Amino acid sequence: MRKALLAVAIAVLGATTVVPAASAAPGTLVWGPCPAGAFPTPDLQCTTLKVPLDYRAPGGRTIDVAVSRLPSKNPEKRRGVLLTNPGGPGGGGLDYPQLLKLVRLPQEVLDSYDIIGFDPRGVAHSTPVTCDLTPEQIAVGNLPYANGPADVVKQAAIAKREAEQCAGSKTGSMLPYVTTANTARDMDRIRTALGEPKVSFLGASYGTYLGAVYTTLFPERSDRIVLDSNLGPGGYDVDAMRGFGRGMEDRFPDFAAFAAKHPEYGLGTTPSQVTAKFHELAARLDRAPVEGVTGSVFRGLTFEGLYVTDLAQLAEDWQGLDQGRAPKPPEAPVTGVENLLASRFAVICGDSAWPRSIASYQLDVAVDRIRYPLLGAASANIAACAYWAPPAEPRVRITGHGPANVLMVQNQRDPGTPLSGARKLRAAFGERARMITIDQGGHGAYLFTPGKCGNSLVTEYLVSGKRPDDTFCPAES
């Protein structure tokens, strides 16, 4: 998730406790202060907007969407608003404009736009959903590694119970409407309430799919669209989930080379030795976990560690586990984990139909264990979506119909949103899009690449509207 990466980049732990101001009627927004919580938000203004729960019944039940604004302080250069989304699904975005400013979103961009953040429907300070997940269910995680067919059957029972809890919770009636398409419709309600004829957009990770859906549903209301670290045109469907296995295979050689160059970690002196250490550690931790860290947890820890460009912490974690010490837990608890997982289920399971057969997942696990040996038997495992109600509406089809106003930016070796998916989205957009591909590993390209190539091209597009052709940026130190 891009927001988490930003938090790492500025060494801030925890999530915001921003409380939106009083609710505003559609078409008007009454801005108020955002009280500082674990994450400071001194420059933000906040409000709440009422939107329909079901856009097919716009006069029916409404829910709240929490919205924030980081206003431009240069009225002569201000050209409009820039909606933002840090990824997810399930993560809040109310404090994202402040995070972007703190990691040095260029001043030209801050001058050109009011930066708009929001918690998507179902999330955090917007009307939240719940699945009543227990700490034990949360600890299992989304997709534990399956060592064989029996592990898929075991996970199926957990997944079925999660889906039943979601449907039976006090917010179960909301779940069919907590989808990417409806969040995109909420974005257009925000645009209307701001009094803007068009909006620009900066979205990362899952936010790329949200932006793609928005500009597909509302092409005439889309200004400059920047999509950073891209999902494929199907969003977080079953293929994208299996794509995590591909992404880890793409990115892991960077870590293996790093660890081999630093023998002080004791993980091997060649990339092949580091790779062998991965499999040896995973097997050892399955037999004898270290403070609750199993082989499955170790694989997930490694996958998450590959998101960032600085791989030293991951090497230290491996070294500790190899010596019988678990990584240090976060210094502060992450709030809202249950809501994050519940809203994530709602979006992923509600956007598209998932296979129902346990046998199909057992086959996928067997195939991906061979195809993507580092993580494939986890990313192909069964999840709650196999037991979800059918989607309330067809998935939005991303096409080339609309203005040529999309700029994609993508690392070559992104574990979370692999280049293969980004290329599929680029093909689906056709002449609507151009893509900057950067010789870089990790998740997050704009503001995260050490070189100037990708950053300068994205900033120039946001500020001047000059969009580059498809571009390859070589590695820069």
Side-chain angles (χ1 to χ4, degrees):
M1 188 184 301
R2 172 64 177 266
K3 182 177 173 182
L5 292 176
L6 287 170
V8 169
I10 59 176
V12 174
L13 295 169
T16 181
T17 55
V18 170
V19 177
S23 177
T28 62
L29 291 176
V30 180
W31 297 100
C34 300
F39 189 89
T41 55
D43 302 315
L44 281 180
Q45 304 166 344
C46 289
T47 189
T48 302
L49 179 68
K50 295 286 186 184
V51 299
L53 173 64
D54 181 0
Y55 277 92
R56 297 170 300 183
R61 178 184 171 186
T62 62
I63 57 173
D64 291 340
V65 172
V67 184
S68 65
R69 176 177 68 174
L70 185 67
S72 166
K73 296 180 180 179
N74 193 329
E76 294 183 358
K77 293 185 177 180
R78 182 191 180 278
R79 65 174 309 275
V81 298
L82 179 69
L83 266 67
T84 62
N85 181 272
L94 204 61
D95 58 357
Y96 192 50
Q98 189 77 62
L99 282 161
L100 287 169
K101 181 177 180 179
L102 288 174
V103 294
R104 299 189 178 136
L105 184 68
Q107 188 61 46
E108 312 97 283
V109 180
L110 294 169
D111 288 341
S112 298
Y113 299 95
D114 293 344
I115 314 297
I116 306 297
F118 66 102
D119 284 347
R121 58 170 52 209
V123 176
H125 303 291
S126 297
T127 303
V129 295
T130 180
C131 287
D132 298 322
L133 298 173
T134 66
E136 292 76 18
Q137 288 172 317
I138 292 171
V140 168
N142 283 330
L143 295 171
Y145 191 86
N147 287 299
D151 285 344
V152 179
V153 174
K154 179 181 177 181
Q155 176 60 17
I158 295 171
K160 184 176 182 181
R161 180 59 183 152
E162 289 171 338
E164 290 172 345
Q165 285 177 210
C166 292
S169 75
K170 64 183 180 182
T171 59
S173 62
M174 286 180 58
L175 295 180
Y177 311 105
V178 180
T179 63
T180 300
N182 280 328
T183 301
R185 295 175 181 119
D186 295 342
M187 288 168 55
D188 206 55
R189 286 293 181 108
I190 294 172
R191 177 197 62 78
T192 300
L194 291 169
E196 298 287 340
K198 292 185 177 183
V199 292
S200 295
F201 179 78
L202 173 61
S205 193
Y206 161 76
T208 62
Y209 181 58
L210 176 59
V213 169
Y214 179 82
T215 197
T216 297
L217 293 177
F218 304 101
E220 73 284 358
R221 299 168 196 170
S222 305
D223 192 7
R224 297 170 186 173
I225 308 297
V226 175
L227 308 180
D228 177 0
S229 306
N230 296 265
L231 281 170
Y236 262 127
D237 58 7
V238 66
D239 292 330
M241 200 64 65
R242 293 178 70 182
F244 287 143
R246 167 69 181 270
M248 188 160 173
E249 297 289 337
D250 289 347
R251 173 62 165 150
F252 187 82
D254 291 341
F255 174 73
F258 169 84
K261 290 178 181 178
H262 294 273
E264 65 269 22
Y265 294 115
L267 305 176
T269 57
T270 66
S272 61
Q273 289 178 354
V274 176
T275 303
K277 173 61 75 173
F278 172 87
H279 293 293
E280 186 268 324
L281 263 177
R284 189 201 315 169
L285 291 167
D286 270 336
R287 294 190 303 269
V290 173
E291 299 178 35
V293 178
T294 64
S296 181
V297 172
F298 167 69
R299 291 174 189 271
L301 179 152
T302 300
F303 178 68
E304 292 173 3
L306 296 174
Y307 270 48
V308 300
T309 55
D310 184 357
L311 299 172
Q313 184 60 58
L314 180 58
E316 291 178 14
D317 290 344
W318 274 38
Q319 183 184 49
L321 287 166
D322 193 33
Q323 297 172 356
R325 303 187 312 273
K328 292 181 180 179
E331 296 179 12
V334 178
T335 59
V337 174
E338 198 282 335
N339 170 248
L340 186 153
L341 293 176
S343 53
R344 179 180 176 84
F345 279 146
V347 173
I348 291 175
C349 303
D351 276 359
S352 60
W354 288 60
R356 301 277 180 177
S357 166
I358 294 176
S360 71
Y361 291 95
Q362 290 173 321
L363 176 61
D364 289 346
V365 162
V367 169
D368 284 8
R369 182 184 294 107
I370 297 170
R371 185 167 58 166
Y372 307 131
L374 299 172
L375 193 69
S379 53
N381 205 350
I382 192 168
C385 298
Y387 300 97
W388 213 259
E393 63 176 310
R395 178 164 41 186
V396 175
R397 181 169 174 262
I398 309 302
T399 71
H401 300 299
N405 63 347
V406 177
L407 180 60
M408 302 166 59
V409 58
Q410 179 72 32
N411 289 337
Q412 273 193 311
R413 299 176 301 283
D414 186 324
T417 52
L419 179 60
S420 57
R423 285 172 170 164
K424 291 177 183 177
L425 181 62
R426 170 68 182 86
F429 270 129
E431 289 303 305
R432 286 205 68 187
R434 295 290 183 267
M435 186 163 79
I436 303 166
T437 305
I438 304 171
D439 184 1
Q440 166 87 13
H443 188 56
Y446 184 50
L447 306 180
F448 276 77
T449 53
K452 296 180 179 180
C453 175
N455 288 331
S456 61
L457 291 173
V458 172
T459 297
E460 183 176 28
Y461 177 58
L462 285 172
V463 174
S464 72
K466 181 181 178 182
R467 192 180 67 155
D469 292 333
D470 288 325
T471 302
F472 176 76
C473 291
E476 299 180 56
S477 57

